[in-house]
Amino acid sequence: MSVSAIRRLILIGLLLLISALLSLATPTFLTLDNIMTLLQEASLTGIIAIGFTLVLITAGIDMSIGAVVAITSMVCINFISYTQLPAYIYIPIALAGGCLIGWVNGFFITYFELPEFIVTLATRGILAGLALIAAVKDEQGFVKNVFIQDEVFLSFGETVGPV
């Protein structure tokens, strides 16, 4: 048995041990509601990890992922705050913005043959600054919480199927 296989078995054993201890300590740990909540909370990280995996498979690196999430989130939040548009209109706009940012990164990396680390690091700085500028602020200049008020979205219980 290889060293990596032994490490995987140890990690699986530790995961099972922690799960058993948590289920003994808290009877609600292994309930369906708690498991669904854990999966929903981890969904953003999982979606980002899938995209980042494709970058890593090609031996690349992308430093701008967090900033892309931040700026596309700010686009959605500004639509929520300042318009009455339904969610099914502005979510594709935010996704298209994220795709455009990826295209710009790819353009500079391939056309100008720049190192992807440098290009995506610069993009991260620019987008993080833009996200702070685009954040919805209250009267005192503090970033405020914004909640979805779309009646169609809320009528589904804030979910669409299992999502």
Side-chain angles (χ1 to χ4, degrees):
M1 191 175 269
S2 68
V3 174
S4 64
I6 293 172
R7 287 182 182 167
R8 286 185 186 144
L9 288 175
I10 291 172
L11 287 175
I12 291 170
L14 287 174
L15 178 66
L16 292 174
L17 177 68
I18 291 170
S19 297
L21 291 175
L22 286 173
S23 64
L24 289 173
T26 307
T28 58
F29 180 72
L30 284 179
T31 61
L32 182 62
D33 285 339
N34 189 47
I35 292 171
M36 290 303 292
T37 301
L38 288 173
L39 291 175
Q40 285 176 343
E41 293 293 328
S43 63
L44 178 64
T45 305
I47 292 168
I48 293 170
I50 290 169
F52 195 69
T53 300
L54 297 174
V55 173
L56 289 177
I57 287 173
T58 61
I61 188 73
D62 187 354
M63 300 297 294
S64 65
I65 290 176
V68 173
V69 171
I71 193 69
T72 54
S73 299
M74 289 303 120
V75 168
C76 288
I77 287 172
N78 278 290
F79 273 110
I80 291 170
S81 295
Y82 300 119
T83 68
Q84 297 298 319
L85 293 174
Y88 63 85
I89 291 178
Y90 59 78
I91 290 175
I93 293 171
L95 290 173
C99 291
L100 178 66
I101 293 166
W103 181 85
V104 168
N105 279 341
F107 174 77
F108 280 105
I109 291 168
T110 57
Y111 186 75
F112 294 109
E113 298 179 2
L114 296 170
E116 61 225 20
F117 180 82
I118 301 299
V119 171
T120 57
L121 188 65
T123 305
R124 184 184 85 176
I126 293 167
L127 294 178
L130 287 174
L132 286 173
I133 291 170
V136 176
K137 299 173 184 75
D138 60 11
E139 296 79 28
Q140 292 142 351
F142 295 108
V143 176
K144 67 178 188 175
N145 289 333
V146 178
F147 300 100
I148 295 176
Q149 300 299 324
D150 185 9
E151 298 300 325
V152 175
F153 179 73
L154 294 175
S155 68
F156 285 107
E158 299 181 13
T159 62
V160 178
V163 180

